[in-house]
Amino acid sequence: MREVPFSFEIQAPDYVPTEYDNHIQRKLSSMRGQYLNQDAYGDMLSRDDVLLYQVYELKRPEIEGELLHGISIVHPGKVGNEYFMTKGHYHTILETAEVYFTLKGQGYMVMETPEGDSAIEELAKGKLLYVPPRWAHRSVNINPEEDLVMFFVYPGNAGHDYGTIETQGFKKLVIEKDGKPDIVDNPRWTQPEGK
Ligand code: S6P
Ligand code: ZN
């Protein structure tokens, strides 16, 4: 791993970085239990294990002081009426933030805290989103035609905690209603204990 400054390019139209170390491809089968409409999920999976999103990461030491960074690409589509989205996670070290800069497409970042606070911010080309420490985050692509492409950067020691979200999802869901995105309560979600 290089210990000298380096640079690379992230260019339209596909925004795949000219340098990367890991290429993660998350398919429908890795999202079991995440979409509200389980029948639609099962039907879709029986036809094809669709590619939902991809992440290109540059490898850096996972220690305080380093910055992990790369590109995430969420493809367009829906499971039932719920848009394609990332799994979503808390950082293992809760007190670590993250920055997302949208390069292409349209979507929402769905966020919440362990105390049950919830927030949703629009993602659109040219917009920068700051996700403060303690906020779990999931990106959702609401454009039926286009990829949602974002550059992200976060502390090297942050780590990923997927378990909490896998268990109960996020408090809010982004679904399509009458041809438009709509934000609704997740009926599976419950207030965290003692909050
Ligand atoms: C990592 C950062 C992104 C996500 C990516 C995929 O902290 O938030 O790189 O990993 O957007 O989402 P997920 O929830 O599958 O890791
Ligand atoms: Zn993150």
Side-chain angles (χ1 to χ4, degrees):
M1 203 172 304
R2 286 172 302 185
E3 295 310 329
V4 292
F6 63 94
S7 49
F8 58 94
E9 289 184 28
I10 302 168
Q11 299 277 14
D14 64 358
Y15 298 96
V16 173
T18 51
E19 291 200 20
Y20 61 87
D21 300 298
N22 299 327
H23 178 203
I24 301 161
Q25 295 187 295
R26 286 243 220 264
K27 295 184 171 184
L28 193 61
S29 54
S30 70
M31 294 288 280
R32 190 166 294 284
Q34 295 300 299
Y35 285 96
L36 188 63
N37 186 336
Q38 298 286 330
D39 292 342
Y41 177 86
D43 285 353
M44 199 166 172
L45 190 58
S46 68
R47 289 195 300 274
D48 188 12
D49 192 6
V50 181
L51 180 62
L52 301 179
Y53 62 100
Q54 310 189 56
V55 184
Y56 294 90
E57 291 177 333
L58 284 103
K59 198 170 169 60
R60 298 300 311 164
E62 295 187 8
I63 56 172
E64 196 177 348
E66 284 283 350
L67 293 172
L68 296 174
H69 56 289
I71 288 288
S72 78
I73 303 175
V74 185
H75 297 304
K78 286 178 294 169
V79 176
N81 61 1
E82 200 174 353
Y83 296 103
F84 284 3
M85 60 193 183
T86 59
K87 280 175 102 116
H89 57 266
Y90 282 98
H91 290 163
T92 311
I93 298 187
L94 260 186
E95 302 299 333
T96 52
E98 184 155 349
V99 164
Y100 280 89
F101 184 70
T102 304
L103 295 162
K104 178 182 181 176
Q106 292 168 298
Y108 289 114
M109 190 69 80
V110 178
M111 294 166 282
E112 69 189 44
T113 67
E115 291 73 40
D117 297 316
S118 177
I120 294 190
E121 285 288 323
E122 258 181 33
L123 303 168
K125 183 179 164 73
K127 268 194 139 176
L128 185 138
L129 169 69
Y130 188 80
V131 181
R134 304 183 65 77
W135 288 81
H137 39 285
R138 158 181 283 168
S139 33
V140 182
N141 182 353
I142 60 163
N143 186 316
E145 313 279 330
E146 221 176 36
D147 285 340
L148 172 65
V149 184
M150 289 179 292
F151 173 80
F152 60 83
V153 56
Y154 62 102
N157 61 336
H160 294 91
D161 161 20
Y162 290 101
T164 311
I165 301 299
E166 272 168 9
T167 310
Q168 62 178 24
F170 279 81
K171 192 172 180 178
K172 299 285 179 184
L173 305 177
V174 186
I175 60 161
E176 187 188 75
K177 194 179 166 205
D178 303 328
K180 291 193 305 247
D182 194 23
I183 294 159
V184 297
D185 289 333
N186 177 2
R188 277 172 47 214
W189 191 88
T190 49
Q191 183 74 22
E193 254 174 67
K195 309 288 181 189

